[in-house]
PDB file of all heavy atoms in Angstrom:
ATOM      1  N   GLN A   1     141.106  25.520  61.565  1.00 87.00           N
ATOM      2  CA  GLN A   1     141.850  26.394  62.455  1.00 87.00           C
ATOM      3  C   GLN A   1     141.577  25.944  63.884  1.00 87.00           C
ATOM      4  O   GLN A   1     140.455  25.607  64.234  1.00 87.00           O
ATOM      5  CB  GLN A   1     141.404  27.826  62.292  1.00 87.00           C
ATOM      6  CG  GLN A   1     141.821  28.489  61.013  1.00 87.00           C
ATOM      7  CD  GLN A   1     141.397  29.951  60.962  1.00 87.00           C
ATOM      8  OE1 GLN A   1     140.590  30.418  61.733  1.00 87.00           O
ATOM      9  NE2 GLN A   1     141.971  30.687  60.034  1.00 87.00           N
ATOM     10  N   HIS A   2     142.622  25.939  64.716  1.00 90.00           N
ATOM     11  CA  HIS A   2     142.456  25.615  66.131  1.00 90.00           C
ATOM     12  C   HIS A   2     143.096  26.699  66.975  1.00 90.00           C
ATOM     13  O   HIS A   2     144.150  27.245  66.589  1.00 90.00           O
ATOM     14  CB  HIS A   2     143.052  24.251  66.422  1.00 90.00           C
ATOM     15  CG  HIS A   2     142.312  23.095  65.828  1.00 90.00           C
ATOM     16  ND1 HIS A   2     141.019  22.749  66.247  1.00 90.00           N
ATOM     17  CD2 HIS A   2     142.634  22.249  64.833  1.00 90.00           C
ATOM     18  CE1 HIS A   2     140.624  21.715  65.532  1.00 90.00           C
ATOM     19  NE2 HIS A   2     141.577  21.400  64.670  1.00 90.00           N
ATOM     20  N   PHE A   3     142.492  26.984  68.101  1.00 89.00           N
ATOM     21  CA  PHE A   3     142.975  27.983  69.030  1.00 89.00           C
ATOM     22  C   PHE A   3     143.721  27.301  70.164  1.00 89.00           C
ATOM     23  O   PHE A   3     143.199  26.354  70.788  1.00 89.00           O
ATOM     24  CB  PHE A   3     141.834  28.811  69.601  1.00 89.00           C
ATOM     25  CG  PHE A   3     141.059  29.592  68.575  1.00 89.00           C
ATOM     26  CD1 PHE A   3     139.910  29.074  67.981  1.00 89.00           C
ATOM     27  CD2 PHE A   3     141.441  30.866  68.198  1.00 89.00           C
ATOM     28  CE1 PHE A   3     139.195  29.764  67.077  1.00 89.00           C
ATOM     29  CE2 PHE A   3     140.739  31.568  67.252  1.00 89.00           C
ATOM     30  CZ  PHE A   3     139.619  31.038  66.698  1.00 89.00           C
ATOM     31  N   ILE A   4     144.914  27.759  70.443  1.00 92.00           N
ATOM     32  CA  ILE A   4     145.680  27.279  71.589  1.00 92.00           C
ATOM     33  C   ILE A   4     146.175  28.486  72.357  1.00 92.00           C
ATOM     34  O   ILE A   4     146.364  29.566  71.807  1.00 92.00           O
ATOM     35  CB  ILE A   4     146.851  26.393  71.163  1.00 92.00           C
ATOM     36  CG1 ILE A   4     147.816  27.145  70.254  1.00 92.00           C
ATOM     37  CG2 ILE A   4     146.366  25.125  70.432  1.00 92.00           C
ATOM     38  CD1 ILE A   4     149.068  26.348  69.858  1.00 92.00           C
ATOM     39  N   SER A   5     146.394  28.337  73.646  1.00 91.00           N
ATOM     40  CA  SER A   5     146.825  29.468  74.451  1.00 91.00           C
ATOM     41  C   SER A   5     147.759  29.034  75.558  1.00 91.00           C
ATOM     42  O   SER A   5     147.832  27.851  75.907  1.00 91.00           O
ATOM     43  CB  SER A   5     145.621  30.218  75.056  1.00 91.00           C
ATOM     44  OG  SER A   5     144.923  29.396  75.953  1.00 91.00           O
ATOM     45  N   GLN A   6     148.450  30.001  76.129  1.00 92.00           N
ATOM     46  CA  GLN A   6     149.366  29.738  77.232  1.00 92.00           C
ATOM     47  C   GLN A   6     149.463  30.992  78.078  1.00 92.00           C
ATOM     48  O   GLN A   6     149.284  32.114  77.612  1.00 92.00           O
ATOM     49  CB  GLN A   6     150.755  29.349  76.717  1.00 92.00           C
ATOM     50  CG  GLN A   6     151.714  28.814  77.782  1.00 92.00           C
ATOM     51  CD  GLN A   6     151.148  27.602  78.509  1.00 92.00           C
ATOM     52  OE1 GLN A   6     150.455  27.763  79.518  1.00 92.00           O
ATOM     53  NE2 GLN A   6     151.477  26.404  78.023  1.00 92.00           N
ATOM     54  N   GLY A   7     149.757  30.803  79.361  1.00 88.00           N
ATOM     55  CA  GLY A   7     149.847  31.893  80.300  1.00 88.00           C
ATOM     56  C   GLY A   7     149.311  31.537  81.644  1.00 88.00           C
ATOM     57  O   GLY A   7     148.991  30.369  81.906  1.00 88.00           O
ATOM     58  N   PRO A   8     149.183  32.523  82.518  1.00 91.00           N
ATOM     59  CA  PRO A   8     149.392  33.967  82.277  1.00 91.00           C
ATOM     60  C   PRO A   8     150.838  34.395  82.541  1.00 91.00           C
ATOM     61  O   PRO A   8     151.592  33.722  83.218  1.00 91.00           O
ATOM     62  CB  PRO A   8     148.444  34.638  83.270  1.00 91.00           C
ATOM     63  CG  PRO A   8     148.448  33.702  84.444  1.00 91.00           C
ATOM     64  CD  PRO A   8     148.598  32.310  83.849  1.00 91.00           C
ATOM     65  N   LEU A   9     151.164  35.577  81.993  1.00 93.00           N
ATOM     66  CA  LEU A   9     152.379  36.271  82.316  1.00 93.00           C
ATOM     67  C   LEU A   9     152.051  37.397  83.268  1.00 93.00           C
ATOM     68  O   LEU A   9     150.972  38.046  83.134  1.00 93.00           O
ATOM     69  CB  LEU A   9     153.042  36.838  81.047  1.00 93.00           C
ATOM     70  CG  LEU A   9     153.195  35.903  79.871  1.00 93.00           C
ATOM     71  CD1 LEU A   9     153.801  36.648  78.675  1.00 93.00           C
ATOM     72  CD2 LEU A   9     154.073  34.716  80.229  1.00 93.00           C
ATOM     73  N   ARG A  10     152.922  37.707  84.185  1.00 91.00           N
ATOM     74  CA  ARG A  10     152.695  38.758  85.161  1.00 91.00           C
ATOM     75  C   ARG A  10     153.965  39.571  85.347  1.00 91.00           C
ATOM     76  O   ARG A  10     155.057  39.012  85.432  1.00 91.00           O
ATOM     77  CB  ARG A  10     152.223  38.156  86.506  1.00 91.00           C
ATOM     78  CG  ARG A  10     151.806  39.185  87.525  1.00 91.00           C
ATOM     79  CD  ARG A  10     151.268  38.491  88.768  1.00 91.00           C
ATOM     80  NE  ARG A  10     150.031  37.758  88.462  1.00 91.00           N
ATOM     81  CZ  ARG A  10     149.486  36.856  89.320  1.00 91.00           C
ATOM     82  NH1 ARG A  10     150.084  36.593  90.479  1.00 91.00           N
ATOM     83  NH2 ARG A  10     148.355  36.264  88.991  1.00 91.00           N
ATOM     84  N   MET A  11     153.814  40.892  85.366  1.00 87.00           N
ATOM     85  CA  MET A  11     154.980  41.759  85.492  1.00 87.00           C
ATOM     86  C   MET A  11     155.546  41.649  86.917  1.00 87.00           C
ATOM     87  O   MET A  11     154.806  41.671  87.895  1.00 87.00           O
ATOM     88  CB  MET A  11     154.613  43.214  85.194  1.00 87.00           C
ATOM     89  CG  MET A  11     154.167  43.452  83.764  1.00 87.00           C
ATOM     90  SD  MET A  11     155.411  42.953  82.539  1.00 87.00           S
ATOM     91  CE  MET A  11     154.548  41.649  81.696  1.00 87.00           C
ATOM     92  N   LYS A  12     156.883  41.543  86.993  1.00 83.00           N
ATOM     93  CA  LYS A  12     157.518  41.489  88.312  1.00 83.00           C
ATOM     94  C   LYS A  12     157.355  42.842  89.022  1.00 83.00           C
ATOM     95  O   LYS A  12     157.449  43.906  88.410  1.00 83.00           O
ATOM     96  CB  LYS A  12     159.025  41.180  88.136  1.00 83.00           C
ATOM     97  CG  LYS A  12     159.328  39.774  87.748  1.00 83.00           C
ATOM     98  CD  LYS A  12     160.822  39.563  87.665  1.00 83.00           C
ATOM     99  CE  LYS A  12     161.158  38.151  87.228  1.00 83.00           C
ATOM    100  NZ  LYS A  12     162.615  37.963  87.093  1.00 83.00           N
ATOM    101  N   ARG A  13     157.185  42.751  90.322  1.00 68.00           N
ATOM    102  CA  ARG A  13     157.154  43.971  91.128  1.00 68.00           C
ATOM    103  C   ARG A  13     158.581  44.464  91.348  1.00 68.00           C
ATOM    104  O   ARG A  13     159.506  43.675  91.401  1.00 68.00           O
ATOM    105  CB  ARG A  13     156.484  43.714  92.462  1.00 68.00           C
ATOM    106  CG  ARG A  13     155.016  43.342  92.335  1.00 68.00           C
ATOM    107  CD  ARG A  13     154.398  43.141  93.686  1.00 68.00           C
ATOM    108  NE  ARG A  13     152.975  42.814  93.583  1.00 68.00           N
ATOM    109  CZ  ARG A  13     152.210  42.560  94.611  1.00 68.00           C
ATOM    110  NH1 ARG A  13     152.714  42.610  95.861  1.00 68.00           N
ATOM    111  NH2 ARG A  13     150.939  42.270  94.453  1.00 68.00           N
ATOM    112  N   GLN A  14     158.703  45.792  91.522  1.00 58.00           N
ATOM    113  CA  GLN A  14     160.045  46.342  91.725  1.00 58.00           C
ATOM    114  C   GLN A  14     160.595  45.881  93.054  1.00 58.00           C
ATOM    115  O   GLN A  14     159.945  45.932  94.093  1.00 58.00           O
ATOM    116  CB  GLN A  14     159.989  47.883  91.716  1.00 58.00           C
ATOM    117  CG  GLN A  14     161.338  48.530  91.655  1.00 58.00           C
ATOM    118  CD  GLN A  14     161.188  50.037  91.523  1.00 58.00           C
ATOM    119  OE1 GLN A  14     160.253  50.626  91.999  1.00 58.00           O
ATOM    120  NE2 GLN A  14     162.157  50.673  90.864  1.00 58.00           N
ATOM    121  N   SER A  15     161.819  45.340  93.038  1.00 54.00           N
ATOM    122  CA  SER A  15     162.413  44.788  94.229  1.00 54.00           C
ATOM    123  C   SER A  15     162.766  45.900  95.228  1.00 54.00           C
ATOM    124  O   SER A  15     162.989  47.022  94.812  1.00 54.00           O
ATOM    125  CB  SER A  15     163.647  43.987  93.871  1.00 54.00           C
ATOM    126  OG  SER A  15     164.655  44.823  93.292  1.00 54.00           O
ATOM    127  N   PRO A  16     162.871  45.552  96.538  1.00 51.00           N
ATOM    128  CA  PRO A  16     163.260  46.574  97.526  1.00 51.00           C
ATOM    129  C   PRO A  16     164.627  47.206  97.220  1.00 51.00           C
ATOM    130  O   PRO A  16     164.810  48.400  97.438  1.00 51.00           O
ATOM    131  CB  PRO A  16     163.307  45.792  98.834  1.00 51.00           C
ATOM    132  CG  PRO A  16     162.391  44.602  98.600  1.00 51.00           C
ATOM    133  CD  PRO A  16     162.553  44.258  97.151  1.00 51.00           C
ATOM    134  N   GLY A  17     165.536  46.424  96.643  1.00 52.00           N
ATOM    135  CA  GLY A  17     166.856  46.976  96.320  1.00 52.00           C
ATOM    136  C   GLY A  17     166.753  48.086  95.302  1.00 52.00           C
ATOM    137  O   GLY A  17     167.386  49.087  95.400  1.00 52.00           O
ATOM    138  N   ASN A  18     165.886  47.846  94.267  1.00 51.00           N
ATOM    139  CA  ASN A  18     165.733  48.871  93.273  1.00 51.00           C
ATOM    140  C   ASN A  18     165.067  50.096  93.843  1.00 51.00           C
ATOM    141  O   ASN A  18     165.329  51.221  93.468  1.00 51.00           O
ATOM    142  CB  ASN A  18     164.871  48.292  92.136  1.00 51.00           C
ATOM    143  CG  ASN A  18     165.603  47.225  91.346  1.00 51.00           C
ATOM    144  OD1 ASN A  18     166.809  47.142  91.394  1.00 51.00           O
ATOM    145  ND2 ASN A  18     164.855  46.362  90.672  1.00 51.00           N
ATOM    146  N   THR A  19     164.119  49.900  94.808  1.00 45.00           N
ATOM    147  CA  THR A  19     163.471  51.018  95.456  1.00 45.00           C
ATOM    148  C   THR A  19     164.475  51.858  96.231  1.00 45.00           C
ATOM    149  O   THR A  19     164.448  53.084  96.183  1.00 45.00           O
ATOM    150  CB  THR A  19     162.371  50.520  96.384  1.00 45.00           C
ATOM    151  OG1 THR A  19     161.461  49.691  95.640  1.00 45.00           O
ATOM    152  CG2 THR A  19     161.629  51.686  97.020  1.00 45.00           C
ATOM    153  N   ASP A  20     165.374  51.181  96.988  1.00 46.00           N
ATOM    154  CA  ASP A  20     166.401  51.912  97.742  1.00 46.00           C
ATOM    155  C   ASP A  20     167.288  52.711  96.822  1.00 46.00           C
ATOM    156  O   ASP A  20     167.681  53.845  97.112  1.00 46.00           O
ATOM    157  CB  ASP A  20     167.227  50.911  98.562  1.00 46.00           C
ATOM    158  CG  ASP A  20     166.401  50.258  99.649  1.00 46.00           C
ATOM    159  OD1 ASP A  20     165.302  50.804  99.985  1.00 46.00           O
ATOM    160  OD2 ASP A  20     166.814  49.176 100.144  1.00 46.00           O
ATOM    161  N   GLN A  21     167.617  52.057  95.667  1.00 45.00           N
ATOM    162  CA  GLN A  21     168.473  52.742  94.732  1.00 45.00           C
ATOM    163  C   GLN A  21     167.834  53.990  94.182  1.00 45.00           C
ATOM    164  O   GLN A  21     168.450  55.054  94.020  1.00 45.00           O
ATOM    165  CB  GLN A  21     168.839  51.791  93.590  1.00 45.00           C
ATOM    166  CG  GLN A  21     169.833  52.409  92.581  1.00 45.00           C
ATOM    167  CD  GLN A  21     170.195  51.422  91.502  1.00 45.00           C
ATOM    168  OE1 GLN A  21     169.751  50.278  91.512  1.00 45.00           O
ATOM    169  NE2 GLN A  21     170.980  51.853  90.535  1.00 45.00           N
ATOM    170  N   ALA A  22     166.480  53.894  93.930  1.00 41.00           N
ATOM    171  CA  ALA A  22     165.757  55.024  93.399  1.00 41.00           C
ATOM    172  C   ALA A  22     165.710  56.126  94.431  1.00 41.00           C
ATOM    173  O   ALA A  22     165.887  57.312  94.122  1.00 41.00           O
ATOM    174  CB  ALA A  22     164.327  54.623  93.017  1.00 41.00           C
ATOM    175  N   GLU A  23     165.465  55.733  95.745  1.00 42.00           N
ATOM    176  CA  GLU A  23     165.443  56.737  96.799  1.00 42.00           C
ATOM    177  C   GLU A  23     166.812  57.382  96.951  1.00 42.00           C
ATOM    178  O   GLU A  23     166.915  58.573  97.190  1.00 42.00           O
ATOM    179  CB  GLU A  23     164.978  56.065  98.118  1.00 42.00           C
ATOM    180  CG  GLU A  23     163.540  55.633  98.083  1.00 42.00           C
ATOM    181  CD  GLU A  23     163.154  54.928  99.385  1.00 42.00           C
ATOM    182  OE1 GLU A  23     164.074  54.688 100.184  1.00 42.00           O
ATOM    183  OE2 GLU A  23     161.951  54.652  99.557  1.00 42.00           O
ATOM    184  N   SER A  24     167.862  56.576  96.837  1.00 40.00           N
ATOM    185  CA  SER A  24     169.235  57.106  96.949  1.00 40.00           C
ATOM    186  C   SER A  24     169.521  58.101  95.855  1.00 40.00           C
ATOM    187  O   SER A  24     170.085  59.153  96.065  1.00 40.00           O
ATOM    188  CB  SER A  24     170.225  55.946  96.935  1.00 40.00           C
ATOM    189  OG  SER A  24     171.538  56.454  96.940  1.00 40.00           O
ATOM    190  N   SER A  25     169.042  57.716  94.626  1.00 38.00           N
ATOM    191  CA  SER A  25     169.254  58.616  93.498  1.00 38.00           C
ATOM    192  C   SER A  25     168.506  59.921  93.741  1.00 38.00           C
ATOM    193  O   SER A  25     169.018  60.997  93.445  1.00 38.00           O
ATOM    194  CB  SER A  25     168.767  57.926  92.229  1.00 38.00           C
ATOM    195  OG  SER A  25     168.845  58.804  91.160  1.00 38.00           O
ATOM    196  N   SER A  26     167.247  59.802  94.211  1.00 38.00           N
ATOM    197  CA  SER A  26     166.490  60.997  94.496  1.00 38.00           C
ATOM    198  C   SER A  26     167.176  61.894  95.553  1.00 38.00           C
ATOM    199  O   SER A  26     167.211  63.078  95.435  1.00 38.00           O
ATOM    200  CB  SER A  26     165.072  60.596  94.936  1.00 38.00           C
ATOM    201  OG  SER A  26     164.342  61.748  95.291  1.00 38.00           O
ATOM    202  N   LEU A  27     167.728  61.187  96.558  1.00 36.00           N
ATOM    203  CA  LEU A  27     168.425  61.920  97.639  1.00 36.00           C
ATOM    204  C   LEU A  27     169.643  62.646  97.101  1.00 36.00           C
ATOM    205  O   LEU A  27     169.929  63.766  97.435  1.00 36.00           O
ATOM    206  CB  LEU A  27     168.795  60.952  98.751  1.00 36.00           C
ATOM    207  CG  LEU A  27     169.555  61.544  99.946  1.00 36.00           C
ATOM    208  CD1 LEU A  27     168.687  62.594 100.638  1.00 36.00           C
ATOM    209  CD2 LEU A  27     169.959  60.417 100.912  1.00 36.00           C
ATOM    210  N   ASN A  28     170.347  61.983  96.205  1.00 42.00           N
ATOM    211  CA  ASN A  28     171.566  62.597  95.644  1.00 42.00           C
ATOM    212  C   ASN A  28     171.201  63.830  94.811  1.00 42.00           C
ATOM    213  O   ASN A  28     171.907  64.840  94.856  1.00 42.00           O
ATOM    214  CB  ASN A  28     172.288  61.568  94.732  1.00 42.00           C
ATOM    215  CG  ASN A  28     172.916  60.455  95.564  1.00 42.00           C
ATOM    216  OD1 ASN A  28     173.138  60.623  96.766  1.00 42.00           O
ATOM    217  ND2 ASN A  28     173.161  59.324  94.921  1.00 42.00           N
ATOM    218  N   VAL A  29     170.093  63.770  94.094  1.00 37.00           N
ATOM    219  CA  VAL A  29     169.671  64.894  93.288  1.00 37.00           C
ATOM    220  C   VAL A  29     169.319  66.063  94.188  1.00 37.00           C
ATOM    221  O   VAL A  29     169.709  67.199  93.987  1.00 37.00           O
ATOM    222  CB  VAL A  29     168.471  64.514  92.405  1.00 37.00           C
ATOM    223  CG1 VAL A  29     167.892  65.745  91.738  1.00 37.00           C
ATOM    224  CG2 VAL A  29     168.915  63.503  91.364  1.00 37.00           C
ATOM    225  N   ASN A  30     168.544  65.765  95.299  1.00 39.00           N
ATOM    226  CA  ASN A  30     168.208  66.803  96.252  1.00 39.00           C
ATOM    227  C   ASN A  30     169.411  67.442  96.910  1.00 39.00           C
ATOM    228  O   ASN A  30     169.505  68.632  97.098  1.00 39.00           O
ATOM    229  CB  ASN A  30     167.284  66.245  97.339  1.00 39.00           C
ATOM    230  CG  ASN A  30     165.927  65.833  96.753  1.00 39.00           C
ATOM    231  OD1 ASN A  30     165.512  66.357  95.714  1.00 39.00           O
ATOM    232  ND2 ASN A  30     165.274  64.868  97.386  1.00 39.00           N
ATOM    233  N   THR A  31     170.367  66.563  97.248  1.00 35.00           N
ATOM    234  CA  THR A  31     171.598  67.056  97.867  1.00 35.00           C
ATOM    235  C   THR A  31     172.350  67.957  96.914  1.00 35.00           C
ATOM    236  O   THR A  31     172.907  69.000  97.284  1.00 35.00           O
ATOM    237  CB  THR A  31     172.507  65.862  98.269  1.00 35.00           C
ATOM    238  OG1 THR A  31     171.766  65.020  99.117  1.00 35.00           O
ATOM    239  CG2 THR A  31     173.755  66.379  98.974  1.00 35.00           C
ATOM    240  N   LEU A  32     172.331  67.610  95.628  1.00 34.00           N
ATOM    241  CA  LEU A  32     173.005  68.388  94.605  1.00 34.00           C
ATOM    242  C   LEU A  32     172.339  69.756  94.501  1.00 34.00           C
ATOM    243  O   LEU A  32     173.043  70.785  94.428  1.00 34.00           O
ATOM    244  CB  LEU A  32     172.968  67.664  93.269  1.00 34.00           C
ATOM    245  CG  LEU A  32     173.602  68.399  92.087  1.00 34.00           C
ATOM    246  CD1 LEU A  32     175.079  68.646  92.333  1.00 34.00           C
ATOM    247  CD2 LEU A  32     173.380  67.608  90.792  1.00 34.00           C
ATOM    248  N   VAL A  33     171.002  69.782  94.507  1.00 37.00           N
ATOM    249  CA  VAL A  33     170.289  71.034  94.424  1.00 37.00           C
ATOM    250  C   VAL A  33     170.585  71.920  95.635  1.00 37.00           C
ATOM    251  O   VAL A  33     170.853  73.120  95.510  1.00 37.00           O
ATOM    252  CB  VAL A  33     168.768  70.789  94.323  1.00 37.00           C
ATOM    253  CG1 VAL A  33     167.999  72.089  94.432  1.00 37.00           C
ATOM    254  CG2 VAL A  33     168.437  70.070  93.026  1.00 37.00           C
ATOM    255  N   ILE A  34     170.590  71.294  96.839  1.00 32.00           N
ATOM    256  CA  ILE A  34     170.927  72.040  98.058  1.00 32.00           C
ATOM    257  C   ILE A  34     172.322  72.598  97.979  1.00 32.00           C
ATOM    258  O   ILE A  34     172.602  73.728  98.340  1.00 32.00           O
ATOM    259  CB  ILE A  34     170.723  71.183  99.267  1.00 32.00           C
ATOM    260  CG1 ILE A  34     169.215  70.832  99.442  1.00 32.00           C
ATOM    261  CG2 ILE A  34     171.237  71.855 100.547  1.00 32.00           C
ATOM    262  CD1 ILE A  34     168.976  69.789 100.515  1.00 32.00           C
ATOM    263  N   SER A  35     173.259  71.772  97.516  1.00 36.00           N
ATOM    264  CA  SER A  35     174.669  72.184  97.441  1.00 36.00           C
ATOM    265  C   SER A  35     174.800  73.346  96.451  1.00 36.00           C
ATOM    266  O   SER A  35     175.529  74.307  96.721  1.00 36.00           O
ATOM    267  CB  SER A  35     175.549  71.023  97.005  1.00 36.00           C
ATOM    268  OG  SER A  35     175.432  69.957  97.949  1.00 36.00           O
ATOM    269  N   LEU A  36     174.146  73.245  95.304  1.00 37.00           N
ATOM    270  CA  LEU A  36     174.212  74.317  94.346  1.00 37.00           C
ATOM    271  C   LEU A  36     173.615  75.592  94.901  1.00 37.00           C
ATOM    272  O   LEU A  36     174.128  76.672  94.680  1.00 37.00           O
ATOM    273  CB  LEU A  36     173.497  73.902  93.064  1.00 37.00           C
ATOM    274  CG  LEU A  36     174.196  72.823  92.211  1.00 37.00           C
ATOM    275  CD1 LEU A  36     173.319  72.448  91.028  1.00 37.00           C
ATOM    276  CD2 LEU A  36     175.526  73.310  91.720  1.00 37.00           C
ATOM    277  N   SER A  37     172.501  75.444  95.651  1.00 41.00           N
ATOM    278  CA  SER A  37     171.903  76.623  96.270  1.00 41.00           C
ATOM    279  C   SER A  37     172.888  77.274  97.257  1.00 41.00           C
ATOM    280  O   SER A  37     173.004  78.489  97.314  1.00 41.00           O
ATOM    281  CB  SER A  37     170.627  76.226  97.012  1.00 41.00           C
ATOM    282  OG  SER A  37     169.699  75.655  96.113  1.00 41.00           O
ATOM    283  N   GLY A  38     173.609  76.436  97.990  1.00 43.00           N
ATOM    284  CA  GLY A  38     174.627  76.976  98.930  1.00 43.00           C
ATOM    285  C   GLY A  38     175.701  77.697  98.186  1.00 43.00           C
ATOM    286  O   GLY A  38     176.168  78.760  98.636  1.00 43.00           O
ATOM    287  N   VAL A  39     176.137  77.188  97.049  1.00 41.00           N
ATOM    288  CA  VAL A  39     177.180  77.849  96.257  1.00 41.00           C
ATOM    289  C   VAL A  39     176.684  79.205  95.793  1.00 41.00           C
ATOM    290  O   VAL A  39     177.416  80.194  95.795  1.00 41.00           O
ATOM    291  CB  VAL A  39     177.596  76.957  95.078  1.00 41.00           C
ATOM    292  CG1 VAL A  39     178.474  77.736  94.130  1.00 41.00           C
ATOM    293  CG2 VAL A  39     178.262  75.706  95.565  1.00 41.00           C
TER     294      VAL A  39
END
């Protein structure tokens, strides 16, 4: 038996574009809650 290995693998960090999208989504949800409260 012989041991062989390869690596390392590293998880990609979340890109700024994805962060903006998440913030936008969060903003939309908050806006929706505020709008519903107004209704």
Side-chain angles (χ1 to χ4, degrees):
Q1 290 183 346
H2 290 292
F3 298 93
I4 60 176
S5 65
Q6 190 58 271
L9 311 178
R10 187 175 294 168
M11 296 302 115
K12 288 182 181 178
R13 295 181 179 179
Q14 192 175 31
S15 63
N18 293 339
T19 304
D20 294 341
Q21 183 178 357
E23 291 177 353
S24 175
S25 175
S26 176
L27 180 61
N28 291 338
V29 171
N30 293 335
T31 304
L32 178 62
V33 172
I34 293 171
S35 300
L36 289 176
S37 301
V39 171

